[in-house]
Amino acid sequence: MYITREDVAAAVSRAELVQLSNDEGYGEPDWQIVDRAIAYACELADGYLMGRYALPLETAPSILRHLCTDIARHWLHQRRINAADFPKPLEAAYGNAVKLLEQIRDGKIHLGIRAAAAATEKPQPEGGAYHVRGKAKQDWSGY
């Protein structure tokens, strides 16, 4: 898991977390619902990272915590809000998180950890110096 309950609670106000997770709308947050949002966000991130990095990641970069938090918030809001009434900043944050995960998957953004192929391969020995030879010099002085 790249995020915890505390990460989600820090990103959303307590009252909003209660409204989004507790079907009664008052009292304490329903942590089982929050855990489902966390699992969804982390599994989605793993789906993008699967081909590039060996999973599970030993240490999760902090960028994944932010991306997964935005995805979990979106999942929680999606339980309650009609798509037409979705808050624009939240929709933009979710779109940005998915876009960044796609860029990580495509190798445009690197997490600073070894890729899956590199983690299993032994380093290749140096091949030595390259020697390059050009064609013989031609005399074009008569033109």
Side-chain angles (χ1 to χ4, degrees), residues 24-143:
E24 296 171 1
Y26 61 90
E28 292 293 314
D30 186 346
W31 293 111
Q32 289 179 343
I33 301 288
V34 175
D35 289 342
R36 285 178 50 204
I38 291 170
Y40 171 78
C42 294
E43 288 171 8
L44 182 66
D46 278 346
Y48 282 102
L49 300 176
M50 192 174 294
R52 181 154 300 275
Y53 297 102
L55 298 177
L57 298 176
E58 291 181 23
T59 57
S62 61
I63 189 171
L64 285 180
R65 185 171 51 245
H66 299 296
L67 299 177
C68 289
T69 301
D70 287 341
I71 293 169
R73 286 181 62 207
H74 185 270
W75 188 89
L76 287 169
H77 276 84
Q78 200 171 22
R79 292 184 68 237
R80 297 279 187 232
I81 299 176
N82 184 355
D85 299 330
F86 228 80
K88 297 293 181 201
L90 183 65
E91 190 67 33
Y94 174 78
N96 185 46
V98 171
K99 181 180 173 185
L100 286 173
L101 285 171
E102 289 172 350
Q103 290 177 336
I104 292 169
R105 176 198 64 199
D106 296 339
K108 295 178 181 175
I109 296 177
H110 300 281
L111 296 179
I113 55 178
R114 293 181 67 166
T120 59
E121 295 177 359
K122 293 181 180 177
Q124 295 294 322
E126 283 288 327
Y130 289 98
H131 298 279
V132 180
R133 185 176 8 180
K135 293 184 179 182
K137 202 170 191 180
Q138 296 181 356
D139 182 19
W140 292 83
S141 61
Y143 279 103

